[in-house]
Amino acid sequence: RKKPVLYVGVAGTGKTTIVKDYLAGLTATNDEFVSQAINNNNYTSSYALQGIIMGSLDKRSGRTYGPPGNKKCVFFIDDLNMPYVDTYDTQSAIMLLTQMISYAQVYDRAALEEKKDLIDILFTACMNPKAGSFMVNPRLQRHFTVITTFTPSAGMIQGIYATILEKHLQAFIPQIQKLCEPIVNATIDTLVNGILNTPCFLPSASKFHYQFNLKDVGNIFQGLLNT
């Protein structure tokens, strides 16, 4: 339907993985589409964002620009709300994106009297409501269909990683295979039921690096799969 989609959720809920997996499947099965990932950060300005997007487009005719080969390009913008909030309570990169989606036009930075019409481009994005500016401008958000990704329950995590680890341990002796369930349960109890629900492990001004999430669970089992 050519409707922009925004995934919202805290770190470790699989937002980026969901979008990248979908785009990989889309471009592999449909020759009409290509994709381009853009990672926002605190230093992403409208100038930088316009340079990245226009660098992926070719001149079609006159002042019309679009993806090469008459294809359609899906731009995936990760950490949408991360750009710096200026004195006027706006984010220049966000407002440029709003202009692109609303009017499908940008101005030439070297000659402001020249407009560039944009065609065959689509947008999807992810954001963490507990990071960056915590939200995006309503003028941009109104264009997006917002989908929330929640943190999975302990039971869901156990089912996922128990299946993965059980498959890996089939190559080991029976005594090692029996450790599958205790390893999974101990990991979930320590990190999910313990650290993530203990106030002293929450990030603060003096412990801003305390950013524990489900990525840490994935890292543990990724290490186990290397054995």
Side-chain angles (χ1 to χ4, degrees):
R1 298 182 181 181
K2 300 182 180 180
K3 177 77 174 179
V5 177
L6 173 62
Y7 284 86
V8 179
V10 297
T13 53
K15 305 182 298 298
T16 301
T17 302
I18 291 171
V19 176
K20 286 188 174 181
D21 283 352
Y22 174 79
L23 292 179
L26 177 67
T27 54
T29 58
N30 194 329
D31 293 335
E32 294 183 2
F33 286 91
V34 294
S35 64
Q36 173 69 42
I38 302 173
N39 295 305
N40 277 353
N41 56 56
N42 190 59
Y43 298 100
T44 302
S45 63
S46 61
Y47 181 84
L49 182 62
Q50 183 171 339
I52 295 172
I53 293 177
M54 296 305 298
S56 301
L57 307 179
D58 287 346
K59 187 173 183 178
R60 294 273 182 92
S61 63
R63 66 180 193 183
T64 302
Y65 290 76
N70 291 325
K71 295 186 176 183
K72 297 178 176 63
C73 183
V74 181
F75 288 98
F76 168 45
I77 303 178
D78 205 0
D79 293 325
L80 178 66
N81 59 330
M82 283 300 292
Y84 175 75
V85 180
D86 61 25
T87 307
Y88 306 100
D89 200 29
T90 60
Q91 297 160 285
S92 63
I94 295 297
M95 301 318 297
L96 175 69
L97 188 59
T98 303
Q99 176 182 320
M100 287 183 172
I101 296 177
S102 299
Y103 303 104
Q105 290 181 334
V106 292
Y107 288 88
D108 191 320
R109 294 272 179 165
L112 291 178
E113 69 276 5
E114 296 183 13
K115 289 183 180 179
K116 296 181 178 181
D117 296 324
L118 310 178
I119 61 173
D120 293 336
I121 61 173
L122 305 169
F123 292 94
T124 184
C126 292
M127 63 171 279
N128 182 351
K130 293 187 177 181
S133 63
F134 307 112
M135 58 176 293
V136 294
N137 193 292
R139 292 173 59 192
L140 174 63
Q141 186 175 331
R142 67 189 174 94
H143 290 290
F144 284 86
T145 296
V146 180
I147 299 175
T148 303
T149 57
F150 295 98
T151 303
S153 64
M156 295 173 63
I157 300 171
Q158 183 179 21
I160 293 170
Y161 289 106
T163 303
I164 295 172
L165 187 59
E166 183 180 13
K167 181 70 174 178
H168 176 70
L169 294 181
Q170 288 179 358
F172 292 78
I173 60 176
Q175 291 86 338
I176 300 296
Q177 295 179 17
K178 294 179 181 178
L179 296 176
C180 176
E181 186 174 347
I183 290 174
V184 175
N185 291 337
T187 303
I188 294 174
D189 286 340
T190 302
L191 190 65
V192 179
N193 298 330
I195 293 176
L196 296 182
N197 291 309
T198 304
C200 65
F201 287 107
L202 295 176
S204 64
S206 60
K207 298 181 294 184
F208 58 89
H209 59 287
Y210 278 25
Q211 298 288 342
F212 302 105
N213 54 57
L214 293 182
K215 292 179 182 179
D216 298 299
V217 177
N219 290 337
I220 291 172
F221 285 95
Q222 186 174 3
L224 290 171
L225 296 180
N226 289 329
T227 58

